[in-house]
Amino acid sequence: MGLAKTEMFTDKQNQIAVFAKVFGHPARVAILQHLFKTDSCFCGNLVDEIGLAQPTISQHLKELKYLGLIKGNVEGTSVCYCIDKENWTAMKEVMSDFLDQDLPADDDCC
Amino acid sequence: MGLAKTEMFTDKQNQIAVFAKVFGHPARVAILQHLFKTDSCFCGNLVDEIGLAQPTISQHLKELKYLGLIKGNVEGTSVCYCIDKENWTAMKEVMSDFLDQDLPADDDCC
DNA sequence: ATAATTTATCGTAATATTGCGATAAACAAA
DNA sequence: TTTGTTTATCGCAATATTACGATAAATTAT
């Protein structure tokens, strides 16, 4: 069906999945890493840096922006993107809760 | 196209994306959380706990196992699953490198 | 006003994911 | 051996994602 039955999961579980999903494509990982490395940069630079077509990069940027992980600032004809620090920190909190769960003691079944 | 052009990204970027992708579905998040909570449990319990059909759960377990995040142990007719601690820790390392990047100073563009 | 530059959106083809019924496989119990 | 129990696999339908050419929109420069 290709459709996640989100209504049967907790808000937290869905939230983790939504964040994880956006990191589930190497282009978006590369975009974010580049924004971290350069502090901020224009859409066009990302098109050059990553080897995908401009509409494709624009689409990935849109998803990152929709989740609030990046912000875009219009400057003339170009748009400058950067990490949304506040939301990135909030996202990390959610993901850490999930990833840093206590590992069970050594008496498990496997 | 629905096909990520993995060859244009670094191994690290692809690795992050592959891990993130498996967390990109709430059912798999729920499965992992349940395994953490119960230390280990049978496939059937997961079918009861999460409200999806048995083949669907089996498929999600297969993906988690393929990435090495869980292990399965046959016990009679049932299979006992648990977190693979070593691989989970290795995965956390990879994800932390990405998530815990230094936030740029407050002089960004946006 | 016209042309150039940059980014966003639309439309669409190719591929991937999700969910589950049907069924097979593996084992235990009677 | 037959029956029940549990999990895995197959096959398929429905939906989602990815990529990009074409084009629109917005702005600047001439």
Side-chain angles (χ1 to χ4, degrees), chain B residues 60-73:
Chain B
H60 285 307
L61 287 169
K62 192 181 176 181
E63 290 175 66
L64 291 167
K65 202 174 163 195
Y66 177 74
L67 278 194
L69 295 174
I70 64 173
K71 289 189 280 191
N73 210 33

Side-chain angles (χ1 to χ4, degrees), chain A residues 26-41:
Chain A
R28 291 189 291 263
V29 171
I31 288 171
L32 291 165
Q33 284 179 331
H34 196 255
L35 290 180
F36 269 110
K37 204 171 59 187
T38 59
D39 257 38
S40 71
C41 87

Side-chain angles (χ1 to χ4, degrees), chain A residues 26 29 33, chain B residues 6-19 94:
Chain A
V29 171
Q33 284 179 331
Chain B
T6 56
E7 74 282 0
M8 62 205 314
F9 301 103
T10 67
D11 286 354
K12 202 81 175 188
Q13 286 164 341
N14 283 315
Q15 207 180 358
I16 292 164
V18 164
F19 281 132
V94 172

Side-chain angles (χ1 to χ4, degrees), chain A residues 37-79:
Chain A
K37 204 171 59 187
T38 59
D39 257 38
S40 71
C41 87
F42 295 103
C43 172
N45 294 48
L46 288 164
V47 174
D48 297 339
E49 175 80 10
I50 303 165
L52 291 169
Q54 180 269 322
T56 308
I57 296 293
S58 197
Q59 195 171 311
H60 284 307
L61 286 168
K62 192 180 178 183
E63 290 176 66
L64 291 167
K65 202 173 163 195
Y66 177 74
L67 278 194
L69 295 174
I70 64 174
K71 289 188 280 192
N73 209 34
V74 180
E75 294 187 17
T77 56
S78 30
V79 180

